[in-house]
Structure formats: structure tokens, C-alpha cells
Amino acid sequence: MFLTITTTGNAEHPATDLGFLLHKHPEKAQAFSTSFGTAHVLYPEAEEQRCTAALLLEVDPVALVRRGKGKGRGGAPDAALAQYVNDRPYAASSLLAVALSNVFSSAMRGVCKARPERAARPLPLRVEIPALPARGGPDLVRRLFEPLGWVVAVEAVPLDTEFPEWGDSRYVRLVLESETLTLSDALRHLYVLLPVLDDAKHYWVAPDEVDKLLRAGEGWLPGHPEQKLITSRYLSRRWSLTREAMDRLELIRLAETDDSEVEEIDNAVEAEAEQEAKPTPLAVQRREAILTALRDRAAARVLDLGCGEGQLVRELLKEPRFTEIVGVDVSVRALTIASRRLKLDRMGERQAARVRLFQGSLAYTDKRLTGYDAAVLSEVIEHLDLPRLPALEYAVFGAARPRTVVVTTPNVEYNVRWETLLAGHVRHRDHRFEWTREEFRTWARAVAERHGYDVEFRPVGPDDPEVGPPTQLALFTLDTPAGTATEKEAKAA
């Protein structure tokens, strides 16, 4: 992938000052190693009137893949790309953004001891990127760069010049020009907006990415009309990180409006928050209700069936009473995220011996699930089509047959209390159904009857006198040892 930065000058302020600002001598071609290839800096032209610096990034696809294996970091998240044959070596992306930050770090901060006055002054700049993935097309490119003071020339690249009827690809040729920005401004814009346009990152987005975004976005991101889109895409749509970044950007905006320091505004917000305690999120209340049920039954070896991204597994690991914890999910992606969040590759030997994650479908019997004290189905059944529920029922209650089963599911009656939920809509687009309290209890009692369990029901969250709690919990208990037929089953046999 390739990017050029060009400036013009005169005898008083020669264009070759660009070498001082970038801390790279125009008469040298330099190479810098990265974890995914080699970055080259060279100057195709370096005259008093005009100087161009080029960044050429040679990506090693094999190194990129190997760096991500088993660590949860470094693997390109774009599922449409094959591991070894893809567009990463050619199209400007987060790889180029990271190379810009590494190679031109001082220039990005606006530091230049040799020409400090030049670093602080706007330059005539021209940036050219011949291949840029732009999910959103040329229109989005203009919406992102024009508010920042750039004159944008963007041209969509056709899928095939021989077959124009096929239309345009997602790639564009981009030329940016400005006489009002500093070199530091330009580099920070590119560092943030290249991965935003690509809408994919080659590494796992950790919480420290919020700090990186705010540092690079200082002075321009708080007032950008596409601030929300930029923030969401830069943070790979991780909702918690996006919310944190947006909250901090709002504090910055308020501080600028009041001509005060961010710390002063932040302290005022914290003081107000102390007076009004935040409600405990329903997801946290649900996990605590499940843990309480497992403690009540003295469960030690626990299955989390449909474990998703591992939130409940993480809570179970905090309590030594749970000596063996198994997370099962049909989604490999969810298990990969769970592994990252749990830091399994960095976990101590004793702690790691307590937990296992493996792929499995709850629609089929699985010998690996037998012999456990308890199984949890937290917000799982509503994701199945109703005709598949009997298969799950037999796999869990008939075949695996743990002594305790905890099932939670939304209470559809409570949906009228969610102000943001449209009438007639379920809480999540993947929910195949949501039951009333009576429907859930009818199903649970029938399951308990068929398989020899007792069942009790517990509310999760505020128990509204009219519509009940937001989440309903059924606690199934089996008094006979695991694997032993009940009296009813023995008679049937």
C-alpha cells in the first residue's frame, strides 16, 4: 500500500523542510520493521519548490496471520477476506494507519526541534492514496474529510474496466489538498479516518483504543458532524467503548463551551452522579440471580450452555466454590471473543485447569455434557425456533441430565415498560419468540414432568405488580443422582 505527502515552498521556506518535519532525510531511503511487514520512506522529489514524501508499506500476509493465531490479536476481522490472499497488502487500512503512527510519531505530535515554527504553521499539503477501501463510497469520504478543511477529489474504482456494467468496487482513489492545516493535523486525520473508511481493524480493539482516538482526535473530533460514526467504526462498533468515548467527547465539548478545564466539568458530573445512584444493569442482576441459584444448590461443576462471549463464565471463575466451569456455544466467533476476554492464554495454571470452552450445538446430545452438577441456559431458548425446543430439552434434561438446571428468558409482558422498544417488537432481532409468564411456566412444568425434575420460579429484576419482572428464571432440581433413572422413567421402561 502506498501514500504520498507533498508540499510546496520557496527560497525563504523551502519545501524540503518537509524532511525536518517528518524527521526523515530526503536524500535517504529508509526502512522500518513492523510486526506485519516493512515500511519504507523515500522522497520521489525533493526540491526547494516542491517536495514529496512517500510511505510504502510491504505487508507480509503470512506474518499477519501468524501474529493473530492463538492470541486473539492481530487477525483481520473482515470475514470476507481469506487468510493469505486478500487486499491487505494493497489497500490503505488500519495497517497503514499504524505504520503512519510508528514511522512519523514525532510529526504526528507536532514535535520538530529543528523547525518548531514550521511545525506549528499550516502548510500547502497534498495527500494522495491510490487505493483506499471506502465502505460508504465517495460520499462518505467527502463527509469525513471536507469538514476538516480538505478539498477532496475522490474517484470510485470500477470492479473491472473491461466490464463497466459491473459497477464500482468499494475502493476509491483519493487526493486531499489543503493550505490551512498543519502536518500534524493531516497525519492525525489520516490515522483515524483510514480505518474508519475501511471499517475493519487488523488487531483486537482494547479499551486503550479510546485514549488513542481522543489523542488523535484532539481539536477536531469533538465538533465533527460525523463524530458518532467515526467513533463507532474506529472502535470496531464495540458498544461499551463507543459509549465511553462519546461521553468523554461530550465533556470536552462542554468544557470548550464553558471555557473551563475538562477536569472541572468531570468533577461536577461525578458529584451529581454520587447523589443519584445508577441502577444496576439487568444483565448484572441476571448473572447474580443465576449465581445465587447455583450457590443454593451447592453446585461445583457447572455448564454454561450458550455461553456467548463468556460474561457468566468470568463471574463463575471469581468464586472458588465452582471447581469446574465449561462454556459451550455453537458460535466459534463468540468462543474466540470469550477466550480473549477471559485471557485464557495468560491465565495461571491452577485457574486455567478450572475452565474449558468448546463448540457444540444444544440441538444434539453430547456425551461431553454428562456428569455435571448444574447447567445454565441464560437467555438461550428464545434464540431457537419453537420446533427445535424439544431437541434442546432432550439434550439437556434427558441426556446430559445435570442435577440442577437454571433457565432464564425475557418476560414479554414487561416489554411495555421499555420506553425505547416499539410495540409488538421483541427485545433482540434474533429472538424467535418471547413468552409471557404463564407460557414460560407451562413449558417449564411440562419439561419438569417429563424428565422427573422439580421446578420453582424466581423473578429477575424489579417485579412489577402488573407485568412482572423483566426476566423470568426457572430453577429445575433433580434429587436423584446424575445418570440414575427416576421412578417414573423406570416404570416407563
Side-chain angles (χ1 to χ4, degrees), residues 93-221:
S93 63
S94 61
L95 291 165
L96 186 60
V98 171
L100 276 172
S101 176
N102 293 343
V103 175
F104 300 136
S105 58
S106 297
M108 188 175 290
R109 298 195 309 271
V111 175
C112 181
K113 293 182 180 179
R115 299 286 191 275
E117 73 291 342
R118 195 86 161 118
R121 195 167 63 240
L123 297 174
L125 292 171
R126 178 185 175 91
V127 177
E128 297 183 54
I129 306 175
L132 172 66
R135 297 182 188 271
D139 178 63
L140 179 59
V141 177
R142 296 187 187 95
R143 282 160 44 205
L144 293 181
F145 282 102
E146 286 181 347
L148 301 174
W150 291 102
V151 176
V152 179
V154 57
E155 177 188 358
V157 176
L159 282 170
D160 193 312
T161 54
E162 298 296 322
F163 301 94
E165 64 273 16
W166 289 1
D168 295 328
S169 69
R170 67 184 181 98
Y171 303 95
V172 299
R173 298 184 185 94
L174 177 63
V175 177
L176 303 171
E177 293 186 297
S178 175
E179 295 190 359
T180 62
L181 298 170
T182 66
L183 180 61
S184 172
D185 292 333
L187 293 173
R188 290 187 295 117
H189 295 167
L190 293 169
Y191 174 75
V192 172
L193 297 181
L194 291 184
V196 166
L197 284 166
D198 186 29
D199 200 15
K201 282 197 169 183
H202 69 279
Y203 58 90
W204 173 250
V205 175
D208 62 349
E209 289 294 299
V210 175
D211 294 325
K212 293 179 184 179
L213 173 62
L214 297 185
R215 281 197 300 269
E218 184 179 357
W220 63 269
L221 183 55

Side-chain angles (χ1 to χ4, degrees), residues 22 40 67 101 197 205 233 251 269 283 290 299 305 317 344 372 382 397 418 436:
L22 292 174
H40 302 270
R67 184 173 181 265
S101 176
L197 284 166
V205 175
R233 284 195 177 191
L251 286 175
V269 172
I290 292 169
L305 303 178
L317 278 169
L344 293 184
Y372 286 86
E382 65 273 11
F397 295 90
W418 301 116
T436 65

Side-chain angles (χ1 to χ4, degrees), residues 143-144 147-148 217-228 230-231 249-250 252-254 256:
R143 282 160 44 205
L144 293 181
L148 301 174
E218 184 179 357
W220 63 269
L221 183 55
H224 198 291
E226 298 293 341
Q227 176 198 105
K228 186 173 182 180
I230 293 170
T231 303
L249 286 167
E250 178 63 14
I252 293 170
R253 188 192 67 79
L254 290 173
E256 290 175 349

Side-chain angles (χ1 to χ4, degrees), residues 145-447:
F145 282 102
E146 286 181 347
L148 301 174
W150 291 102
V151 176
V152 179
V154 57
E155 177 188 358
V157 176
L159 282 170
D160 193 312
T161 54
E162 298 296 322
F163 301 94
E165 64 273 16
W166 289 1
D168 295 328
S169 69
R170 67 184 181 98
Y171 303 95
V172 299
R173 298 184 185 94
L174 177 63
V175 177
L176 303 171
E177 293 186 297
S178 175
E179 295 190 359
T180 62
L181 298 170
T182 66
L183 180 61
S184 172
D185 292 333
L187 293 173
R188 290 187 295 117
H189 295 167
L190 293 169
Y191 174 75
V192 172
L193 297 181
L194 291 184
V196 166
L197 284 166
D198 186 29
D199 200 15
K201 282 197 169 183
H202 69 279
Y203 58 90
W204 173 250
V205 175
D208 62 349
E209 289 294 299
V210 175
D211 294 325
K212 293 179 184 179
L213 173 62
L214 297 185
R215 281 197 300 269
E218 184 179 357
W220 63 269
L221 183 55
H224 198 291
E226 298 293 341
Q227 176 198 105
K228 186 173 182 180
L229 179 144
I230 293 170
T231 303
S232 176
R233 284 195 177 191
Y234 183 86
L235 298 170
S236 296
R237 291 184 169 83
R238 291 192 61 188
W239 178 79
S240 59
L241 299 184
T242 301
R243 183 179 64 177
E244 178 187 346
M246 294 295 293
D247 289 345
R248 290 170 64 178
L249 286 167
E250 178 63 14
L251 286 175
I252 293 170
R253 188 192 67 79
L254 290 173
E256 290 175 349
T257 302
D258 293 345
D259 194 23
S260 58
E261 296 296 326
V262 172
E263 290 75 12
E264 297 176 18
I265 300 291
D266 200 14
N267 288 339
V269 172
E270 289 178 0
E272 184 178 336
E274 288 176 2
Q275 297 176 3
E276 184 177 349
K278 293 183 179 180
T280 304
L282 180 59
V284 175
Q285 296 183 59
R286 185 186 304 121
R287 287 194 291 272
E288 184 54 42
I290 292 169
L291 291 170
T292 298
L294 294 175
R295 295 186 198 111
D296 290 347
R297 295 296 298 167
R301 304 174 67 240
V302 180
L303 296 166
D304 183 6
L305 303 178
C307 65
E309 298 178 3
Q311 291 93 335
L312 179 61
V313 173
R314 182 174 56 193
E315 296 303 313
L316 290 167
L317 278 169
K318 294 178 182 178
E319 299 194 25
R321 74 172 71 229
F322 302 115
T323 58
E324 184 178 351
I325 304 153
V326 175
V328 182
D329 204 282
V330 72
S331 169
V332 173
R333 182 176 181 274
L335 292 171
T336 300
I337 295 173
S339 178
R340 290 169 181 163
R341 290 186 169 177
L342 296 169
K343 299 181 175 64
L344 293 184
D345 58 327
R346 286 173 278 176
M347 191 176 287
E349 184 177 347
R350 179 177 297 180
Q351 188 79 331
R354 295 173 57 209
V355 61
R356 284 189 297 140
L357 301 178
F358 61 75
Q359 184 188 21
S361 171
L362 302 181
Y364 304 96
T365 59
D366 190 332
K367 292 180 179 179
R368 295 175 297 178
L369 305 183
T370 59
Y372 286 86
D373 298 331
V376 177
L377 291 159
S378 179
E379 310 300 286
V380 170
I381 61 172
E382 65 273 11
H383 292 273
L384 295 177
D385 292 319
L386 283 170
R388 297 182 67 84
L389 272 184
L392 175 143
E393 174 192 332
Y394 179 75
V396 176
F397 295 90
R401 204 162 180 76
R403 292 173 59 82
T404 299
V405 182
V406 182
V407 180
T408 72
T409 192
N411 168 22
V412 71
E413 297 169 83
Y414 193 87
N415 287 359
V416 296
R417 297 292 188 258
W418 301 116
E419 295 180 1
T420 58
L421 189 63
L422 297 177
H425 284 238
V426 293
R427 297 184 198 177
H428 190 280
R429 62 180 180 273
D430 189 51
H431 285 185
R432 303 301 198 265
F433 63 87
E434 288 178 359
W435 275 334
T436 65
R437 287 168 290 174
E438 185 56 37
E439 288 171 329
F440 178 57
R441 292 181 181 188
T442 298
W443 173 82
R445 289 178 180 129
V447 169

Side-chain angles (χ1 to χ4, degrees), residues 2 4 27 133 273:
F2 191 69
T4 61
E27 295 182 5

